[in-house]
Amino acid sequence: MTNTVATPAAEAPRGQSTLLLLLLKLRTFIALIAVVVFFSLMAPNFVTVANAVIVSKHVAINAFLAIGMTFVILTGGIDLSVGAIVGLVGMVAGALVLYGIPLEMFGVVIYPNVWEVIGIALLVGTFVGLVNGLLITRMQVAPFIATLGMLYVARGTALLMSGGSTFPNLIGKPEFGNQGFPTLGSGTILGIPLSIWLLLVVAGIAAYVATKTPFGRQIYAVGGNERAATLSGVNVNRVKLAVYMVSGFCAAIAGLVVASQLVASHPASGETFEMNAIAAAVLGGTSLSGGRGTIGGTIVGAFVIGVLSDGLVMMGVSEFWQMVIKGVVIVGAVILDQMQRRIARNARLG
Amino acid sequence: MSALERAEAPAVILRAEKMTRIFPGTIALENVDFDVYERSVNVLIGENGAGKSTLMRILAGVDQATSGRILMGGEEVQFSSVLDAAQKGIGIVFQELNLCPNLTVTENIFLGRDMTRGGVHIDMPRQRQRAKELLARLEHDIDPDTLVDDLRIGEQQIVEIAKALADDVKVLIMDEPTSALSASEVEVLFRVIAELKKSGVAIIYISHRLEELIRIGDYFTVLRDGHFQASAPKGEATIPWIIRQMLGTSEFAKRQQREVKVGEPVLSVRNLKLPRVGGGYLVDDVSVDFRAGEIVGIYGLLGAGRSELFESLFGLRADARGLVTIGNQGIDHLPVAKRISAGLFLVPEDRQRDGLVQNLTVGKNLSLASLAKVTKFFTVQNGSENKAIDALFRSLRIKAPSPDTPITSLSGGNQQKVVIGKSLMTEPRVLLLDEPTRGIDIGAKEEVFRTMRELADQGLAVVFATSDLKEVHAVSDRVLVMSQGRITADLPDHEATDEIIVRASTKGHATPAPVSAHDHPAQDQ
């Protein structure tokens, strides 16, 4: 019969292969350190506190999306609608700040305060996720198709809200009591931007849910072996519904942060963000077939992508080359991932 | 006389009455009564497709009966889900493993029934402790933090059993629990069963291994073709009794006699081995010759290695090692396409998935494997393609208006003929058919058999795999029996009695799992 090519590592002494495995396991971390070191050599201004803050702010937006995306991918699904949710949620928040909620029968307009704006915006994002989840679990639409459809619906709705134009100057008015929306994007605590604090909180909760709660366990089970999960009494549909809602919720946070940072909401904002989110999850070791991946890995993955794109900008590398490099890095990460799994398997069998 | 039998007769703890389960197109169960006695091993026996697993799925809440009722302790109960059945004291160990490979042993055992603090935080130390206790009860020293993916199949089976025991079970269903276990693991399992019995648990036990059943069974129930066939307590049920009840009389009794003109060996296999992930072999040192003009039936239970043998021969299993020759040409290092041109073809078990392209017509499916023969200048020559298609279409008597009919509008039997026809267009010398009659009715089976006979008459070596004893006798000139990846019998059809075949199909079970593939260096290159 045909001969399988033995991987060199399988024949190498045990210690060598263990070391190699460890290196491969930490590959995202090593990659992060490598890109940071590389850019600090190539771009003199890269390692400064000010730049670190800027990079982190960029990373945070992608990281919010990537956290939700990780939950979805862990169940074996995908959510392509998150970028569009960013745009839609921004428009909803913008409209609420600028125009409030007109109640025509009473001839009054209610201006919700900033907390209420945020609450409504988060509800909108979660609702879009709910619809995704219902399409997938009740109507049996494939996640790729359901969320692709939602991508267009949400983006279209965002454009319809303003006829395609931007809602500018979302600072609110004292007489309406709705000031303060920009704080989310530009405020700081102890010199660190609010969005970073928020990321720490969201990532902390997400990691806790994923590793310590029955719900998290069920997410991994559904992705690992859906049938086994069903037969163990896990309500698979409820788990799937929930992860799309989580993803919509996380996308809404990102949408709010983006609109708040710009102090304006543009219906096209968030375009292709879903791809960056998927890339961050995959770079962080999440398997697209489900059941494997961690929130921590995803955060590191998001940082690799963020540092890479900002560093290349600072080096003056053209945008076109940036795209090529990003693509190579993502596919390279998956190749390393496959390598790690093969070596690990061989080490076990050996 | 054991202590159990001297004690008062065990009461019926669970009773299924007039269970019927209708699937679209088939009746899997019809009016089956089944009693489960407490403190006993209740054995359920039947051929593949007799309805055992369907009945068990209903009792475990996986599936619901179309009609009939379940009584537990005299009261009617309904099991709406696995969890519901589990809460009412019914545990099940499924035939195929149902574990999440990406989770640890502990995580799998408590999946869906986590021990938590405040309903939110999983109490890992407590779960780990409990998992350890369960595994210790099963006499297995498996680290509860191991990933299930890293366990051998037999160990995974133990985890399945531990999972079923994690709930307080009154009735434990075991569907072929020993099919993946080594001899020593089976002994442990039997000790556990004895202990469970003593602690008051009723066990429903399904297996094909008759010796095993006679050893541990207290009550025997035989199903046949979805019907209740017979039942007997321990002592009255013997192996010949079981075989008689299980098989009944042959439907293919009037088999057509065939003048067998057996020729030279065409396909020779020497020391073929296919390692199993996690240790052991799926195909274990198979050496056999197939001769021109003969029909060989390979009988075996599920997982005996028949499909794996075929796939190894056809080049679909990269890990397979061993010498395979057609005529004088060694083909064991060749890719599938080269093996086809050497004269080998495999008709796969699942024709919907592997054998047919659903969106093409009958004709296009027929020519799919031999487009090279009708291609000139990178273009498929419609003229010669259609000529070849028409010839096959007529000679196989495919029941369809024309070769342009969509493949999906054909009956199962005719679809199977198309799959066989597709292989014939490659002009094979050896035809491997994996379960060629699966899912087609009796009449269509006869048609498929006739086709096989005609092909053998033309000098092909025809090899088919089946798990239906009647089919073996209906068409084979020679019978091979596989068990545990080995060939355990090789007889001319007239010498192969049902009893010999059934016994051979459960043989070899006691061999301990061999070491992994790495101890066997590749033979070629």
Side-chain angles (χ1 to χ4, degrees), chain A residues 1-4 208 212-214 217-218 220-221 223-225 227-234 291-292 345-346 348-350, chain B residues 82 96 98-100 102-103 107 111 113-114 116 120-122 149-150 163 277 312 318 320-321 324 332 339 516 522 524-525:
Chain A
M1 300 281 117
T2 48
N3 207 345
T4 43
Y208 177 80
K212 299 289 180 201
T213 66
R217 190 62 46 79
Q218 292 176 0
Y220 281 91
N225 186 344
R227 202 181 129 73
T230 310
L231 293 176
S232 303
V234 174
R292 221 164 46 86
R345 179 155 282 261
N346 283 342
R348 285 204 301 269
L349 290 178
Chain B
V82 197
E96 65 281 21
N98 281 295
L99 298 171
C100 295
N102 58 332
L103 300 183
E107 290 170 345
L111 181 61
R113 62 210 69 178
D114 295 278
T116 55
V120 179
H121 190 100
I122 294 177
D149 205 18
D150 291 347
K163 192 172 156 180
V277 176
S312 302
R321 298 281 176 277
V324 184
D332 41 72
R339 293 185 200 218
S516 76
D524 42 354
Q525 288 128 47

Side-chain angles (χ1 to χ4, degrees), chain A:
Chain A
M1 300 281 117
T2 48
N3 207 345
T4 43
V5 182
T7 48
E11 282 156 11
R14 201 54 178 267
Q16 215 172 320
S17 110
T18 324
L19 180 68
L20 188 63
L21 255 182
L22 189 69
L23 288 177
L24 281 170
K25 247 183 201 156
L26 295 174
R27 66 188 179 276
T28 324
F29 228 80
I30 296 169
L32 181 57
I33 293 165
V35 284
V36 170
V37 170
F38 177 76
F39 287 125
S40 56
L41 296 175
M42 301 302 288
N45 296 329
F46 191 79
V47 190
T48 60
V49 175
N51 190 47
V53 168
I54 292 170
V55 173
S56 305
K57 275 171 95 170
H58 291 164
V59 169
I61 291 162
N62 186 20
F64 287 125
L65 298 175
I67 288 169
M69 188 68 78
T70 303
F71 279 115
V72 173
I73 295 179
L74 279 175
T75 65
I78 194 89
D79 188 350
L80 299 179
S81 66
V82 292
I85 296 177
V86 167
L88 177 65
V89 164
M91 293 307 284
V92 167
L96 287 174
V97 172
L98 284 189
Y99 307 116
I101 307 168
L103 294 175
E104 268 153 34
M105 56 265 218
F106 304 113
V108 292
V109 176
I110 296 176
Y111 285 91
N113 69 28
V114 172
W115 290 109
E116 287 158 354
V117 169
I118 291 174
I120 293 169
L122 291 176
L123 276 180
V124 168
T126 313
F127 176 76
V128 176
L130 173 73
V131 176
N132 279 334
L134 288 175
L135 284 173
I136 290 158
T137 56
R138 298 278 181 269
M139 304 288 160
Q140 319 290 328
V141 182
F144 190 98
I145 302 300
T147 58
L148 180 68
M150 184 53 78
L151 184 162
Y152 290 113
V153 172
R155 180 68 69 201
T157 309
L159 287 159
L160 281 171
M161 284 180 72
S162 68
S165 55
T166 304
F167 289 147
N169 257 347
L170 306 178
I171 44 177
K173 289 189 180 132
E175 60 265 40
F176 298 150
N178 63 353
Q179 285 171 294
F181 184 68
T183 314
L184 181 61
S186 52
T188 58
I189 297 175
L190 306 173
I192 295 171
L194 263 181
S195 58
I196 311 268
W197 288 110
L198 194 57
L199 175 62
L200 285 176
V201 172
V202 172
I205 294 173
Y208 177 80
V209 168
T211 55
K212 299 289 180 201
T213 66
F215 174 60
R217 190 62 46 79
Q218 292 176 0
I219 291 173
Y220 281 91
V222 168
N225 186 344
E226 195 172 317
R227 202 181 129 73
T230 310
L231 293 176
S232 303
V234 174
N235 188 335
V236 172
N237 278 345
R238 214 173 54 197
V239 171
K240 285 187 176 173
L241 195 63
V243 293
Y244 288 95
M245 289 171 73
V246 168
S247 181
F249 180 84
C250 290
I253 297 177
L256 284 169
V257 171
V258 170
S260 170
Q261 280 177 357
L262 299 172
V263 200
S265 45
H266 185 62
S269 75
E271 260 174 4
T272 75
F273 276 21
E274 61 277 357
M275 291 303 155
N276 282 328
I278 295 169
V282 168
L283 262 177
T286 308
S287 157
L288 280 180
S289 50
R292 221 164 46 86
T294 58
I295 297 298
T298 296
I299 302 288
V300 177
F303 268 92
V304 172
I305 291 184
V307 168
L308 198 63
S309 38
D310 283 14
L312 290 172
V313 170
M314 289 185 75
M315 272 177 66
V317 176
S318 88
E319 198 187 333
F320 309 146
W321 273 113
Q322 286 180 37
M323 291 169 84
V324 172
I325 293 167
K326 219 152 94 182
V328 170
V329 167
I330 291 165
V331 176
V334 175
I335 293 173
L336 284 179
D337 185 46
Q338 294 294 342
M339 228 163 97
Q340 177 205 336
R341 292 220 279 168
R342 206 168 52 229
I343 293 170
R345 179 155 282 261
N346 283 342
R348 285 204 301 269
L349 290 178

Side-chain angles (χ1 to χ4, degrees), chain B residues 280-351:
Chain B
Y281 290 96
L282 292 164
V283 175
D284 193 358
D285 202 14
V286 166
S287 298
V288 67
D289 287 320
F290 299 108
R291 291 182 287 268
E294 84 177 335
I295 301 177
V296 181
I298 304 185
Y299 177 81
L301 302 171
L302 279 179
R306 296 161 298 159
S307 300
E308 290 80 5
L309 171 64
F310 281 2
E311 286 169 14
S312 302
L313 292 174
F314 200 48
L316 299 174
R317 297 286 191 145
D319 299 340
R321 298 281 176 277
L323 287 174
V324 184
T325 49
I326 283 198
N328 293 323
Q329 185 189 3
I331 59 162
D332 41 72
H333 54 278
L334 297 178
V336 177
K338 292 267 171 61
R339 293 185 200 218
I340 292 175
S341 44
L344 190 64
F345 206 91
L346 170 67
V347 176
E349 180 176 6
D350 188 343
R351 62 174 173 272

